[in-house]
Amino acid sequence: MNSYSHSTRLLVAIDCIIFGFDGEELKLLLIKRRFEPEKGKWSLMGGFVNEKEDLEVGAERILHELTGLHDIYVEQLQTFGKVNRDPVERTLSVVFFALINIHDHNAESVEVHNACWISLKQMPALIFDHEKMVQMALERLRYKAALHPIGFELLPEQFTIPQLQKLYEAIYDLKLDRRNFSRKILSTGLLLDTGEKNANSATKKAVMYRLDKERYESKFNHFWYFMPVTT
Amino acid sequence: MNSYSHSTRLLVAIDCIIFGFDGEELKLLLIKRRFEPEKGKWSLMGGFVNEKEDLEVGAERILHELTGLHDIYVEQLQTFGKVNRDPVERTLSVVFFALINIHDHNAESVEVHNACWISLKQMPALIFDHEKMVQMALERLRYKAALHPIGFELLPEQFTIPQLQKLYEAIYDLKLDRRNFSRKILSTGLLLDTGEKNANSATKKAVMYRLDKERYESKFNHFWYFMPVTT
DNA sequence: CCAAAAGTGTTGAGCTTACACCCATGT
DNA sequence: ACATGGGTGTAAGCTCAACACTTTTGG
C-alpha cells in the first residue's frame, strides 16, 4: 500500500534557539557553521531529522549534543518553510526553543561546536532566516513569561527574588519596582524558602528560594500576571 | 553543491482546523476521507505540500479548495511528527487553524468534499492524531481569544454585542454577565456603531457594530482581558 | 400590558501602584 | 559609620464583578 508515492518528499531540519541568563543579560547559544553554504557564519544549532526519530526527540538530541544536558525546557515554536530559505535545496525547519541555566552546559561540547553565548543585544547577523526565528522566539518568550512561570527555567535550582527580578527586567528590557515584584512573585505560592542565604551579595544576603515543583506542575497553565499591565 | 544529499527526505502534509460559529455553538468543518487508509472516516481537511509552495500558501490553497474563501484568518499551530502517526509512510503534518464566518463558505465545494460542520461537543472520532490537533487548536483559540481580538473573525462583517458574547460563551463554555461584557468590549475602542439594528431579534433590536480595522491592526498585539480572571 | 432581550448606572471589594521606612552586611 | 542592597508596610486610586433599573419591541 503506497498511496502517497507520487508526492514530493522534503528535507526537514530542526533548529534550536537556546536562551540563557548570566545574571545581567539574556543570551543565546550560537554556533559558527562548519560547512557550506555560509560556512563560518553565525547560526542556530541544528540538524536534520532522522528517519525514525520523533521531532521532539530530535530536538533533544541536538540540544544534548551541544550542551550535554537532558530534561530541559523545550517548546516547539513554529515550522519555517519558505521555498528558498535554504539555497542548496528546499528544507523545512521545525524550530524549537529551549531555556537552560547558563552555567549548566558542558564547556567541552560547546567548544567542540564552536559555540558561544552571545548577548541578544549584540546579536550578529545569522544565516538564512535564523534571525526571524530568534525574533519570533523572543516574542514567544516574552508572551509566555508574562503569563506562565517559565522564568525559573533560566535560573539555577536555588535563586533569590532579586535575581528573578533581574531576569524579568532583561526579558522585557525594563525596570520593575523591587517591592511590588517581590510581593507578586511570592503571592503565587510557587516559591519555597530554602532557609539558605545568597553568599555572593556584597551587602545584605538575600533569601534563596526554590520552585515548589508540585504547585508548579499543577498551576502551570493558570494565568498569572507577572508583568505590569500596559495597555 | 549538494551537501545534504545523504539526509532523509520526508513526506510533509498540511492539515487545517476550520472553526465556525453558528450563533450557538462552536463548530468544525470536517471531511469524510475519500481514500485509503481510513477511507470513510472523519478527518481534518488536508493535503500534501507542493514542491514549490510555501507552507502558508499551501494552507491557503487547501482552505480555498474546501471553502472557496480567500483572505481568512489562518495561524500556524504546530507541526506533528511522531514516527508512526501515519501507517502508510512517515508523514509530517504542519497544522494550521482557521477562523471563518460559518455562512461564508461555498456550499458546493463543501459538498464535493463530503464536508460537514460538526459541533465541537459532538465531535466524532478522527483519523490518526487529528483529535490531538483539534484539542491543541481549541486550547490555542481559548488562549488567544482571551487576550487578543480574534473572536470577530468568526462573525459576519456586522454583528451585535450579544452575538459576540454568545461566541465567547461558546468558546469558553461558560456564562458571562451581559453588562460587564458589553462594557469591556466597548472600552477597547475596537467597535464602530453602524447605526443599523439587528432585524432578527424578536424583542428589542440590538445595535450592529463592525470592527474598526485600523485600530484592530495597530492594537492587535496589545494584551486585552476579555475573560474574567479566574486564578 | 406583559414578557423578553438590550442598554445604562452604581457601588463595594480587592488588587496594583507608588511610595517610606527598617534591616543586614562589608568596608 | 555609612553605603548598598534586601525586606516589609501602607494608603490612594483604579478596575472589575455583582447587582438594579430603564428601554424597546412583539404579541
Side-chain angles (χ1 to χ4, degrees):
Chain A
M1 183 163 55
N2 208 352
S3 23
Y4 306 155
S5 54
H6 49 284
S7 302
T8 319
R9 275 93 182 139
L10 298 176
L11 263 178
V12 182
I14 290 174
D15 287 306
C16 294
I17 292 147
I18 306 169
F19 286 106
F21 178 64
D22 66 359
E24 294 296 330
E25 288 184 305
L26 208 53
K27 300 200 161 184
L28 289 179
L29 190 53
L30 297 173
I31 65 170
K32 277 219 161 144
R33 191 164 158 110
R34 310 197 86 114
F35 52 90
E36 293 296 346
E38 305 279 11
K39 185 172 168 180
K41 300 277 183 64
W42 290 101
S43 148
L44 294 171
M45 179 68 182
F48 290 104
V49 178
N50 290 337
E51 199 172 341
K52 304 266 173 170
E53 179 186 61
D54 290 347
L55 293 174
E56 297 73 30
V57 175
E60 279 158 27
R61 166 176 59 80
I62 287 164
L63 287 165
H64 179 258
E65 191 182 328
L66 180 58
T67 66
L69 300 175
H70 282 299
D71 295 323
I72 56 187
Y73 183 91
V74 185
E75 182 176 327
Q76 191 184 316
L77 186 64
Q78 160 136 4
T79 297
F80 286 68
K82 284 259 177 292
V83 171
N84 296 313
R85 54 174 297 282
D86 187 314
V88 176
E89 174 179 339
R90 180 172 192 190
T91 309
L92 290 195
S93 170
V94 184
V95 180
F96 290 81
F97 76 95
L99 306 180
I100 73 175
N101 173 3
I102 200 168
H103 300 114
D104 255 11
H105 64 262
N106 181 318
E108 280 176 55
S109 36
V110 165
E111 186 141 343
V112 165
H113 282 84
N114 244 329
C116 262
W117 283 104
I118 297 183
S119 158
L120 257 178
K121 294 196 171 175
Q122 286 135 34
M123 195 175 71
L126 304 182
I127 64 164
F128 305 167
D129 48 3
H130 287 199
E131 283 180 58
K132 265 193 193 159
M133 295 172 180
V134 170
Q135 175 62 27
M136 188 180 284
L138 182 60
E139 279 167 25
R140 180 74 77 75
L141 174 62
R142 285 182 167 156
Y143 197 93
K144 193 129 189 189
L147 300 164
H148 302 280
I150 59 172
F152 308 106
E153 307 287 349
L154 288 161
L155 295 176
E157 191 83 9
Q158 298 201 358
F159 52 87
T160 69
I161 290 189
Q163 273 173 11
L164 190 61
Q165 181 176 342
K166 285 215 161 185
L167 169 60
Y168 275 87
E169 290 177 339
I171 294 176
Y172 296 98
D173 198 20
L174 46 70
K175 287 283 163 206
L176 296 172
D177 184 280
R178 186 166 43 88
R179 303 155 275 203
N180 295 332
F181 182 80
S182 153
R183 218 191 337 254
K184 194 177 271 193
I185 293 295
L186 287 174
S187 74
T188 63
L190 293 177
L191 297 193
L192 294 172
D193 190 330
T194 63
E196 295 176 60
K197 302 228 170 177
N198 188 359
N200 293 351
S201 170
T203 64
K204 182 170 180 178
K205 284 148 174 52
V207 176
M208 306 270 281
Y209 291 89
R210 61 185 178 79
L211 252 191
D212 183 331
K213 301 275 187 197
E214 280 187 36
R215 286 181 79 92
Y216 176 72
E217 306 282 345
S218 71
K219 297 248 182 172
F220 187 86
N221 282 312
H222 287 230
F223 279 29
W224 310 102
Y225 293 93
F226 294 120
M227 287 297 100
V229 178
T230 49
T231 315
Chain B
M1 182 163 53
N2 208 352
S3 23
Y4 307 155
S5 55
H6 48 285
S7 302
T8 318
R9 275 95 182 138
L10 298 176
L11 263 180
V12 181
I14 291 174
D15 287 305
C16 295
I17 291 147
I18 306 169
F19 286 105
F21 178 64
D22 67 358
E24 294 295 330
E25 288 185 304
L26 207 54
K27 300 199 161 184
L28 289 179
L29 189 54
L30 297 172
I31 65 170
K32 277 218 160 144
R33 190 165 158 110
R34 310 196 86 115
F35 50 90
E36 294 296 349
E38 304 280 9
K39 187 172 168 181
K41 300 276 183 64
W42 289 103
S43 149
L44 295 170
M45 179 69 182
F48 291 105
V49 178
N50 291 336
E51 200 173 337
K52 304 265 173 169
E53 180 185 61
D54 291 347
L55 293 175
E56 297 72 28
V57 174
E60 279 158 27
R61 167 176 57 80
I62 287 164
L63 286 165
H64 179 258
E65 191 183 328
L66 180 58
T67 66
L69 299 175
H70 282 300
D71 296 323
I72 57 187
Y73 184 92
V74 186
E75 182 176 327
Q76 190 182 317
L77 186 65
Q78 157 137 8
T79 297
F80 286 69
K82 283 259 177 293
V83 172
N84 296 312
R85 54 174 297 282
D86 187 315
V88 176
E89 175 180 339
R90 180 172 190 188
T91 308
L92 290 194
S93 170
V94 184
V95 180
F96 290 81
F97 77 94
L99 307 180
I100 72 175
N101 173 4
I102 201 168
H103 300 112
D104 255 11
H105 64 261
N106 181 318
E108 279 176 55
S109 37
V110 165
E111 186 140 345
V112 165
H113 282 83
N114 245 330
C116 262
W117 283 104
I118 297 182
S119 159
L120 257 177
K121 294 197 170 173
Q122 286 134 35
M123 195 175 72
L126 303 182
I127 63 164
F128 305 167
D129 49 3
H130 286 199
E131 282 180 57
K132 265 193 192 159
M133 296 173 180
V134 170
Q135 175 62 28
M136 187 180 284
L138 182 60
E139 278 166 25
R140 182 78 139 267
L141 174 62
R142 285 182 168 156
Y143 197 93
K144 194 127 189 188
L147 300 165
H148 302 280
I150 59 172
F152 308 106
E153 307 286 349
L154 289 160
L155 295 176
E157 192 81 10
Q158 298 202 357
F159 53 86
T160 69
I161 291 188
Q163 272 173 12
L164 189 61
Q165 181 176 342
K166 285 215 161 183
L167 168 60
Y168 275 86
E169 289 176 341
I171 293 176
Y172 296 98
D173 200 19
L174 45 71
K175 286 286 163 203
L176 295 172
D177 184 279
R178 188 167 41 87
R179 303 155 275 201
N180 294 333
F181 182 81
S182 153
R183 215 188 341 253
K184 193 177 275 193
I185 294 295
L186 287 174
S187 75
T188 64
L190 294 176
L191 297 194
L192 294 172
D193 190 329
T194 64
E196 295 176 61
K197 301 227 172 179
N198 187 0
N200 294 351
S201 170
T203 62
K204 181 170 180 176
K205 284 148 174 51
V207 175
M208 306 269 280
Y209 291 89
R210 62 186 177 77
L211 252 191
D212 184 331
K213 301 276 186 195
E214 278 186 37
R215 287 181 77 91
Y216 175 72
E217 306 284 345
S218 72
K219 298 247 182 171
F220 187 86
N221 282 313
H222 288 229
F223 279 29
W224 310 101
Y225 292 95
F226 294 120
M227 288 296 102
V229 179
T230 50
T231 315

